[in-house]
Amino acid sequence: MEAAMGLMRRMPPKHIDTALSALLSLLPQHSSDLLSQVDQPLQVLCDSEYGKEFILCEYNRDADSYRSPWSNIYHPPLEDGSLPSVELRKLEIEANDIFAVYRDQYYEGGISSVYMWEDDNEGFVACFLIKKDGSKTGQGRRGYLQEGAWDAIHVIEVGPDEEGTTNYRLTSTVMLSLTTDNESAGTFSLSGSIRRQMNMKLPVQEGHLCNMGRMIEEMESKLRNSLDQVYFGKTKEMVCTLRPPAEIVMRLPDS
Amino acid sequence: MADEEEAELSEKQKIDIAKWFLLNSPPGEIQFVAKDVKAVVNDDVLYEEAASEAFPLYNKSHMISLEMPGGIGEVLVTSFGELEGTEFLDPRTAQVAVVDHIKQVCTDVRPALDEELPSAYVEEFRCALDAEILRYVGEAYPKGVCSVYCGNGKDAEGPGSDFELVVVISAARHSPQNFCNGSWRSVWIIEFKDDVQILELKGKLQVGAHYFEEGNVQLDAKHECKDSTIFQSSEDCAITIGNIIRQHEAEYLASLEASYSNLPDTTFKDLRRKLPVTRTLFPWQNTLQFSLTRDITKELGIGK
């Protein structure tokens, strides 16, 4: 299992699905561990009743069916598929509506889905998912990207109410890939995945949605920033170490 | 039971999977990947077979450089210098290096045979170009290794026949302690066309980088370019080719830098904006209000 995770850290992020299915076939005995520890690019299905797409993940899956957050119905249909409580479903509906607005403001398109379920210690878990195709042929409004994908997975464990405050434990993963292609610069492709955690104890006065939303917004900005500044920056640094730009070469003393 | 048997992979499939992982190793990381692949495959015989097929391919496509014994320099493992099996020609020293692909070391050298080397006529062009490229690589790449091979027509005896030289530049930097590895590979194929007295250049540049501190981010960039010049004396050809390569590679580096600087404000924005279209943080505090309004509109029956 350790070796499998080691491989996942080294394989090109744009081939995550191939790498994962290869590991699943080699290590069938570890399939549940692999599926829970390796985040994969998100898939979507269309909710026939609402004519809206929703995102698939382990959290809305029961057997081979996935529950749509819009109609609360499993696709393909499943009898006695597990459902959240009435109370939680209400919050889930609200979260989906609001998160769709949030998603549109930051992503100018894309698909989002929120799923919630009760957990064993009087709290609940919420999973917020966003998928954006930013390519020219997808929803990239500026048309810079030949290929561009952003998948975000935010899982928040919400603890029980303790005298007006609650513990929130957020685990977020962002997977992205982008490729630009043009005559003068050739193909330029960056892909990556990072995962971070954040814990907060917050008053519930303003409501869970408000707290979870703020945490996700902060986390997404952090992840975007570190991908952009740190991770992409490090690969750029590497390129400039391999072949320093001319002005640096000239400054080096003759050896 | 039947299902399980079906799900069981054949030996061939296991080897293919092992090879896939090995061949997709980032620059300089195949040994680390190999260790994990070996553990995952959990069958030494199958692993050895996969490794024996994958390592030579990886070494040649990454054009790794290996120190030759006796301190005579480094040999590049490339398909252009490949003789038979594990032997690779180093044109500069006219030595043939024997390579252990899996250990990634050069175990032995022997002088090249006459028939493995180009004719004196071609060698004159090759040698002049090698000196020029060596100078350029020394200036432009802190850790670059280069070789000039004769591709086709190595037996051309003098004016009147075509031949082809291949310039290979390979620069790698491995710093696992900084969680970063990368490589730059250039291949320039230069056709010396005798009848039209023209040199045609075709370049293939490939740059890769991997940063993996608490994450996994990889750059994969490729570019192809073309140029041509007139056929001159060996010295003049070398200088002109050197300048053309220098210019194209400097331009490519500049375009890579431009791609990077375009990221934050243009390219990345098509995935996710830094701030919402409203340019202020999302008004989560209004969500309570939002849901109240929604309840009211629902009750009043004026839903969307």
Side-chain angles (χ1 to χ4, degrees):
Chain A
M1 198 51 211
E2 203 180 306
M5 294 310 289
L7 287 174
M8 293 309 299
R9 275 190 290 275
R10 295 191 192 274
M11 287 302 114
K14 56 183 162 188
H15 299 319
I16 283 181
D17 356 10
T18 319
L20 181 65
S21 54
L23 287 175
L24 286 172
S25 55
L26 276 179
L27 305 167
Q29 71 276 25
H30 289 298
S31 59
S32 62
D33 282 349
L34 281 167
L35 286 169
S36 68
Q37 289 183 44
V38 179
D39 292 304
Q40 330 159 49
L42 300 168
Q43 307 292 321
V44 292
L45 262 184
C46 191
D47 182 327
S48 42
E49 193 173 315
Y50 277 66
K52 269 168 99 173
E53 288 179 301
F54 65 99
I55 302 177
L56 317 183
C57 70
E58 281 301 292
Y59 308 115
N60 64 332
R61 185 178 68 88
D62 197 333
D64 292 323
S65 295
Y66 294 88
R67 183 171 62 91
S68 159
W70 316 120
S71 60
N72 205 22
I73 291 173
Y74 276 89
H75 294 63
L78 180 73
E79 284 193 22
D80 347 304
S82 65
L83 295 173
S85 68
V86 177
E87 189 75 354
L88 200 56
R89 171 63 188 156
K90 218 179 133 194
L91 189 64
E92 188 184 78
I93 293 173
E94 213 172 294
N96 272 292
D97 286 348
I98 292 167
F99 205 56
V101 181
Y102 165 85
R103 189 246 310 139
D104 211 46
Q105 291 200 359
Y106 273 101
Y107 292 85
E108 304 171 278
I111 305 165
S112 57
S113 297
V114 182
Y115 303 104
M116 296 185 183
W117 64 100
E118 279 85 10
D119 75 356
D120 309 331
N121 44 12
E122 294 173 54
F124 66 96
V125 187
C127 175
F128 294 76
L129 306 161
I130 293 180
K131 183 174 186 67
K132 166 83 190 271
D133 174 0
S135 68
K136 256 186 238 185
T137 48
Q139 293 181 306
R141 302 182 29 155
R142 295 164 193 85
Y144 289 114
L145 294 169
Q146 205 66 34
E147 177 268 333
W150 170 291
D151 288 354
I153 303 170
H154 306 282
V155 179
I156 306 193
E157 293 161 59
V158 183
D161 194 332
E162 291 166 6
E163 295 163 9
T165 65
T166 297
N167 263 316
Y168 297 88
R169 186 185 156 86
L170 167 66
T171 307
S172 300
T173 304
V174 166
M175 285 165 277
L176 69 81
S177 69
L178 54 92
T179 305
T180 55
D181 193 355
N182 63 58
E183 191 76 16
S184 66
T187 338
F188 177 84
S189 158
L190 281 165
S191 61
S193 91
I194 54 175
R195 181 193 270 211
R196 292 288 183 274
Q197 277 198 345
M198 183 196 268
N199 289 301
M200 280 187 147
K201 201 177 175 81
L202 298 168
V204 282
Q205 193 187 339
E206 288 189 281
H208 287 310
L209 262 187
C210 191
N211 288 338
M212 295 192 289
R214 284 199 184 120
M215 281 177 79
I216 288 173
E217 185 173 20
E218 189 186 333
M219 179 66 106
E220 282 204 333
S221 299
K222 267 190 191 163
L223 292 174
R224 183 196 192 277
N225 207 39
S226 47
L227 279 166
D228 188 5
Q229 304 294 317
V230 183
Y231 284 81
F232 291 176
K234 287 284 181 185
T235 63
K236 181 187 178 191
E237 242 173 63
M238 176 49 82
V239 174
C240 293
T241 324
L242 292 167
R243 192 187 190 288
E247 58 272 29
I248 296 176
V249 176
M250 281 192 278
R251 261 188 273 127
L252 288 174
D254 287 338
S255 53
Chain B
M1 225 17 228
D3 269 349
E4 254 171 53
E5 266 166 42
E6 262 176 33
E8 183 72 20
L9 292 174
S10 70
E11 297 198 338
K12 167 95 175 51
Q13 283 170 313
K14 284 187 182 175
I15 293 173
D16 284 346
I17 290 177
K19 274 172 66 184
W20 184 85
F21 278 111
L22 291 168
L23 289 174
N24 276 287
S25 308
E29 295 179 34
I30 192 169
Q31 298 291 357
F32 299 97
V33 170
K35 210 177 125 231
D36 289 337
V37 168
K38 198 172 176 179
V40 173
V41 172
N42 197 21
D43 180 326
D44 286 357
V45 178
L46 295 185
Y47 165 76
E48 301 292 339
E49 186 165 344
S52 70
E53 289 175 39
F55 268 86
L57 294 174
Y58 178 90
N59 292 342
K60 284 186 280 181
S61 75
H62 282 255
M63 303 194 291
I64 62 165
S65 67
L66 301 175
E67 197 73 48
M68 289 185 283
I72 53 169
E74 287 177 90
V75 60
L76 282 176
V77 178
T78 74
S79 56
F80 308 102
E82 187 175 23
L83 296 171
E84 216 159 285
T86 56
E87 292 193 330
F88 290 85
L89 174 69
D90 177 46
R92 189 173 306 132
T93 56
Q95 296 287 317
V96 172
V98 183
V99 165
D100 181 328
H101 278 294
I102 294 180
K103 290 192 182 134
Q104 295 185 310
V105 291
C106 170
T107 52
D108 200 6
V109 284
R110 64 159 173 88
L113 306 171
D114 274 350
E115 61 262 33
E116 288 164 343
L117 296 170
S119 68
Y121 170 68
V122 174
E123 177 61 17
E124 192 187 322
F125 284 88
R126 196 208 63 78
C127 187
L129 183 57
D130 189 48
E132 196 57 32
I133 298 297
L134 200 56
R135 196 164 65 83
Y136 158 61
V137 170
E139 285 167 11
Y141 296 87
K143 286 204 164 173
V145 179
C146 60
S147 241
V148 179
Y149 300 95
C150 179
N152 285 316
K154 75 181 178 63
D155 299 320
E157 286 298 344
S161 358
D162 297 349
F163 60 97
E164 180 185 282
L165 295 181
V166 183
V167 172
V168 175
I169 302 171
S170 170
R173 180 74 66 135
H174 305 144
S175 54
Q177 68 283 7
N178 297 320
F179 307 99
C180 206
N181 294 308
S183 79
W184 176 300
R185 290 164 262 168
S186 320
V187 174
W188 288 90
I189 294 179
I190 305 129
E191 278 183 82
F192 288 71
K193 295 191 162 169
D194 194 87
D195 51 346
V196 284
Q197 290 291 297
I198 278 181
L199 271 52
E200 282 193 355
L201 288 86
K202 270 188 226 141
K204 268 192 190 173
L205 314 177
Q206 192 173 356
V207 184
H210 181 208
Y211 181 67
F212 51 102
E213 184 171 20
E214 289 184 64
N216 177 0
V217 171
Q218 305 196 6
L219 162 75
D220 180 12
K222 288 187 190 101
H223 181 47
E224 292 189 15
C225 42
K226 275 185 187 170
D227 212 327
S228 65
T229 180
I230 46 164
F231 207 134
Q232 307 162 78
S233 72
S234 58
E235 304 275 303
D236 291 339
C237 278
I239 293 169
T240 316
I241 296 170
N243 284 337
I244 290 175
I245 292 180
R246 182 192 297 264
Q247 188 201 333
H248 280 282
E249 295 194 344
E251 270 171 21
Y252 181 52
L253 180 70
S255 79
L256 281 178
E257 290 188 281
S259 298
Y260 273 111
S261 51
N262 284 338
L263 278 176
D265 295 319
T266 57
T267 330
F268 217 138
K269 216 173 185 178
D270 268 353
L271 292 177
R272 184 189 186 274
R273 303 171 58 95
K274 228 178 242 168
L275 277 175
V277 273
T278 56
R279 295 186 187 278
T280 51
L281 292 179
F282 191 75
W284 295 102
Q285 65 280 2
N286 297 345
T287 54
L288 209 57
Q289 189 58 46
F290 179 86
S291 50
L292 284 177
T293 332
R294 208 187 38 140
D295 283 350
I296 292 165
T297 45
K298 215 188 248 168
E299 270 169 40
L300 296 175
I302 49 171
K304 307 175 202 177

